[in-house]
Structure formats: structure tokens, C-alpha cells
Amino acid sequence: MSGKKKPWGGRFSEPTDKRVEEFTSSLHFDKRLYPYDIEGSVAHCRMLAAQGIISPDDAEKIISGLQDILKDMGKGEFSYSSDLEDIHMAIEKSLIDRVGDVGGRLHTARSRNDQISLDMRLYLRDEVTNILGLLVGLQASLVDVAKREIGTILPGYTHMQKAQPVLLSHYLLAWWEMLDRDISRLKECRGRVNVMPLGSAALAGTGFPIDREYVAELLSFSGISKNSMDAVSDRDFVAEFIFDASLVMMHMSRFCEDLVIWSGGEFGFVDISDAFTTGSSIMPQKKNPDVAELIRGKTGRVYGDLMAILTIMKGLPMTYDRDLQEDKEPLFDTVDTVKTCLSVLSDMTGNLKFNRDRMLESAAEGFSTATDVADYLVMKGIPFREAHGIVGRLVGYCIEKQKDMESLDIEEIRLFWKDADADIYACMSVKGSVSARNIIGGTAGEAVLRRIEEIESGRID
Ligand code: ARG
């Protein structure tokens, strides 16, 4: 299409350079917005008719044309002409082809600047809802496994060094809590997405007597934007969403990192099912945790999307600038990535098989109950700092003699604390250590079961 014949070609006398057409076009990626673009146009058209800005007859023709386009696009039967700039132009051109000049009335009191903001908001509102559903699904998988593994003990780590025994269920519910914060962040984000920008037009609003509240009502928005300049230049909601999604990815990535480590031979804590692992093209014995690794890797990609949108925005003069067209690919990429990762991780989690004996054995190694012995001494009246020193020396002795604490005889323990008697052994057991931590937020079986009950009954704070 020559520059002259373009919808905006009135003031142009020369054709657009072919490369410029390709360079400026967003159609190949923004076509996914078509259902939202049409939904927004139908609402806008109804409002124009209700306000007497276009006739009811014209509105009917326009709406039925739009509905035909929606059908064709849905069936994959729409032919997108590559010289059209974007999805808005593709739909408008096809509308005019189908219903004649009357199609040209649809764009009254509207600009692509407020139209694209509307489309992005409608699209993201839906996708945030989809992502929330997937987050709840992953949470449900975690709770299922936590219930199934309620007696399983895991060595807990700090600094990647064995620290204290914990329940595997407690560990799994830690991810549940992180996802719960992700859910509340995304719900808040959805509130800020759910604002109707139409009526802002190019940047200054419109002189037509439009009814913005009515459009918002037709499209189920909870409010309308209050400044036309802000509305057409704002993509905070995109950046905010990608940030929230980055945290979701980071949480999944950390969980996957543990699964990668734990599924290796050195740990052998978990077996990831065959359906969620892959083999090596050269080493026949291998079963690799590629899904977990890819989720970890794709986190970097979403962080890249976040950097992209923040950088695109940082130098933009008010108001709309074409740079904003670059908001779409990072957004779509984040939406697609976070959705696939959540769905695959939910299923993978539900299929994990934990090696309970191996974890219990490992939890008992490394003097993981040393803190419990120090706490026991405190109960006997010794100040904590002193108790810490006594147990530290006791551990040093064990290392030197290559013994664990439970195998020391009482005389050996008395070398470090002269009043020791036999009940000291009770606090050295891994199970005792876990069940002693029966406080809100602690790892004791009772505390974890209480939390599961709260989660399942919806009493969540
Ligand atoms: N494709 C454009 C975008 O995504 C739509 C808005 C175009 N507006 C304009 N003034 N050229 O941002």
C-alpha cells in the first residue's frame, strides 16, 4: 500500500519505503490482541450510538462487521496483509472492506493511542486471571505432597551446609507461602490494570460528548483513567506485571534449583518422574532434570523482559511515543513463559518421589541437633552463650574421635558438662528436634498440620 493510500495517508505524497513498512509494523506479534481489540471496538461503537454520535443503523452495521471479522480470525481464516501497520489497522481496513464507508465512523472520538492501551489492559486482565489460576494449582500440588509426606524428615540447610532437621512438608509449604504472596501481588496488579483508558484519544481527550463510564461498564472495568496524557503514555501496569511475574519465576527457579541438586546422585533425595526428565544423546545411563533447569533458565529470560520494559520507558517524553509498541513482545513473552512454567511445575511436583530413608539418614548426620543440645542445657539453667560453647567443644571432640553425639557415653559428655545425666540423649534425636519446634511457623508435625488445616479451610493470613 503506498503512503498515499494508507489510512493516515492524506498528507503524504510519496509511498512508504518497504523497509520502513516492515520496520514499523507490529502486526506479526500484536495480532494476538484481536479479540480484545474487537471487544473494545464493539463497546466504543455502542457508546457512540447511545450518545447519538453515530446512527443506530451505522452502529449495527459496524458491529456485525466486527463480529464477522472476529469469527474469521478465530477460525484462522483471516488474511493479514503484511503492509498493514498493526492489528487496529488490519481490523479497521477489513471492516471498511466488508461494510463500506460506514466502517470509517468507528474511529470517531478515538485514537490508536488510547485503543492500544485499552487492548493491552483487556488482554492482561484476562491473563493475570489465568496466571492466578495456575498459581493456585501449583499451591494445591504442594499441599497434596505435603500431606502425603507429613512424617518425612529432611535435613534443612543454611549456607548449603546441613543445619537442622525439618519436616519435608514444612519445606514444601515454604513455597506455598511464597506463591501466596505472589497471588496477592498479582491481584493488586490486576486492580491497577483494570482501569478504562478510552476517551483519552491521542493525548488530550476528545470534544465529542462521549460516555466513558458506559464503555467501562460494557467492558466490566472497575474505573476509568483520570488524565488523558497519563493514560496514553502509561505502561506502569506492564512493568508491574512483569516484575510480579519475575518474582513468581524466581520462586519457581529456586525450588527447581533444589530439585536439580537433590535429584543428583550425591544427594539422592528425590526422583523426578520419567515424564518430566530427559535422557542424554551420548550417555545411556543419564536421566537429566532438564525441565527444572529450563524453568531456572527461563527466569533469566523474564528478568530480561523486565529490563526491556523499564528501559523502554525511562527516557520517553510525554506522551505517546512509538517506542511503546516495544512493550508487547516482552509482555507476551512473560505471559507465555510464566504460564508454561507454572503448569509444568505443578504436574512435576505432584509426581515427585522422595527417598525418605536417605533424607532421614542425612538429616541425622552433621551434628544437626547440636542446637537442641544447647537448648537443653539452657533449660538446665546454663546461659545460652555458655551452652553454645560447651556443645561446640563437644562437637569438636566427636569430630576428633570420629563419633556422633548419640554414641558418646555419659562419662565422655561429662568431660564437657559435669552435671550431664542420661536424659540428655533424648534431645539429640532428629525426630525429637523436629517435634520440639511446635510454635506457629515452626516445623513440628503438629504446627505443620495446623497450617495445612488453615490453608485448606481458607483461613489464611
Ligand atoms: N501499534 C501501536 C502500538 O503498539 C499502536 C499505536 C500507534 N499509535 C501511533 N500514534 N502511531 O503502540
Side-chain angles (χ1 to χ4, degrees):
M1 196 189 282
S2 78
K4 280 192 282 188
K5 289 206 204 109
K6 287 209 153 43
W8 40 253
R11 57 107 71 210
F12 288 76
S13 49
E14 305 225 355
T16 316
D17 185 294
K18 198 77 205 134
R19 275 167 311 169
V20 170
E21 259 179 7
E22 276 167 27
F23 183 70
T24 54
S25 173
S26 52
L27 190 54
H28 59 288
F29 55 81
D30 68 14
K31 57 170 119 167
R32 76 156 78 184
L33 294 175
Y34 80 84
Y36 303 102
D37 197 75
I38 292 174
E39 190 189 356
S41 287
V42 169
H44 178 66
C45 184
R46 284 196 205 290
M47 180 280 292
L48 291 178
Q51 294 297 101
I53 301 170
I54 64 173
S55 74
D57 250 20
D58 287 353
E60 220 170 278
K61 284 192 193 111
I62 292 173
I63 291 172
S64 93
L66 287 169
Q67 276 154 356
D68 286 347
I69 297 175
L70 182 66
K71 266 191 228 129
D72 289 355
M73 287 183 163
K75 283 191 262 167
E77 282 169 8
F78 187 89
S79 92
Y80 292 90
S81 151
S82 62
D83 57 3
L84 288 168
E85 243 177 72
D86 51 31
I87 187 63
H88 324 298
M89 291 301 195
I91 291 171
E92 184 177 316
K93 164 128 194 339
S94 171
L95 180 68
I96 295 170
D97 289 348
R98 288 168 199 238
V99 304
D101 288 347
V102 61
R105 294 189 190 280
L106 172 63
H107 211 51
T108 312
R110 187 175 73 169
S111 152
R112 277 186 295 158
N113 296 355
D114 55 352
Q115 188 178 355
I116 185 58
S117 165
L118 177 80
D119 292 7
M120 294 283 276
R121 287 172 179 276
L122 286 169
Y123 161 81
L124 191 52
R125 187 176 69 181
D126 264 9
E127 291 294 14
V128 171
T129 304
N130 293 335
I131 290 168
L132 285 168
L134 290 165
L135 279 163
V136 170
L138 177 54
Q139 280 188 316
S141 289
L142 288 163
V143 173
D144 279 353
V145 185
K147 279 163 71 179
R148 192 166 77 216
E149 297 290 343
I150 192 66
T152 307
I153 286 179
L154 165 82
Y157 293 81
T158 61
H159 312 273
M160 207 46 217
Q161 310 287 319
K162 212 165 282 177
Q164 289 177 330
V166 289
L167 283 190
L168 175 63
S169 309
H170 193 51
Y171 165 90
L172 292 165
L173 293 185
W175 301 113
W176 189 98
E177 302 290 343
M178 291 181 223
L179 298 177
D180 209 45
R181 292 195 293 276
D182 290 333
I183 288 173
S184 72
R185 253 188 299 273
L186 279 165
K187 282 186 178 162
E188 266 197 38
C189 172
R190 186 171 56 183
R192 277 182 283 275
V193 170
N194 201 13
V195 175
M196 208 289 296
L198 227 54
S200 306
L203 78 161
T206 176
F208 287 100
I210 58 169
D211 182 349
R212 301 188 62 211
E213 301 282 2
Y214 180 48
V215 178
E217 193 189 307
L218 289 175
L219 297 170
S220 311
F221 277 103
S222 57
I224 62 174
S225 59
K226 299 295 161 55
N227 182 303
S228 60
M229 296 181 80
D230 174 40
V232 296
S233 61
D234 172 32
R235 293 293 182 276
D236 295 359
F237 62 97
V238 174
E240 179 178 351
F241 165 76
I242 302 181
F243 172 75
D244 292 353
S246 296
L247 289 192
V248 173
M249 290 300 302
M250 184 259 275
H251 293 148
M252 286 194 280
S253 180
R254 292 184 65 182
F255 181 39
C256 286
E257 168 76 0
D258 278 349
L259 295 179
V260 169
I261 297 174
W262 292 359
S263 62
E266 285 76 5
F267 275 79
F269 288 177
V270 70
D271 185 39
I272 305 176
S273 78
D274 284 2
F276 293 90
T277 46
T278 55
S280 155
S281 60
I282 175 168
M283 297 167 282
Q285 84 283 12
K286 296 271 291 199
K287 175 167 146 176
N288 296 327
D290 296 42
V291 171
E293 288 166 337
L294 274 170
I295 292 174
R296 198 175 56 185
K298 283 174 189 292
T299 303
R301 178 186 175 122
V302 172
Y303 289 3
D305 294 334
L306 179 62
M307 282 309 118
I309 187 65
L310 290 173
T311 314
I312 290 162
M313 300 291 296
K314 77 177 269 293
L316 295 189
M318 285 273 265
T319 52
Y320 178 85
D321 303 272
R322 192 61 177 271
D323 316 43
L324 288 174
Q325 182 166 290
E326 290 293 310
D327 62 350
K328 282 166 211 56
E329 284 167 296
L331 176 63
F332 297 161
D333 183 62
T334 293
V335 167
D336 295 344
T337 307
V338 80
K339 277 167 69 183
T340 349
C341 291
L342 279 168
S343 122
V344 94
L345 185 59
S346 295
D347 292 344
M348 188 166 91
T349 301
N351 283 303
L352 294 173
K353 284 206 179 54
F354 290 93
N355 187 340
R356 297 169 189 160
D357 297 340
R358 181 87 181 238
M359 286 194 295
L360 181 61
E361 205 178 288
S362 171
E365 291 164 0
F367 308 101
S368 62
T369 56
T371 314
D372 299 83
V373 180
D375 290 350
Y376 165 88
L377 295 181
V378 170
M379 301 293 221
K380 296 281 178 187
I382 298 175
F384 181 76
R385 233 352 106 210
E386 203 183 312
H388 188 286
I390 293 171
V391 181
R393 287 189 289 279
L394 192 66
V395 167
Y397 175 84
C398 289
I399 293 171
E400 197 193 313
K401 300 279 176 202
Q402 297 191 340
K403 286 181 163 185
D404 56 37
M405 277 196 292
E406 282 176 272
S407 64
L408 295 177
D409 62 41
I410 196 74
E411 288 311 322
E412 286 175 291
I413 297 176
R414 286 190 183 137
L415 296 174
F416 300 90
W417 182 47
K418 61 177 178 30
D419 300 332
D421 59 57
D423 70 351
I424 193 168
Y425 292 104
C427 69
M428 293 176 184
S429 93
V430 160
K431 289 199 171 132
S433 163
V434 169
S435 56
R437 287 167 167 73
N438 190 11
I439 50 150
I440 296 172
T443 193
E446 277 179 43
V448 173
L449 281 170
R450 276 198 303 271
R451 185 61 182 150
I452 291 177
E453 205 187 296
E454 277 171 4
I455 288 169
E456 293 202 313
S457 65
R459 275 184 286 117
I460 295 163
D461 49 63

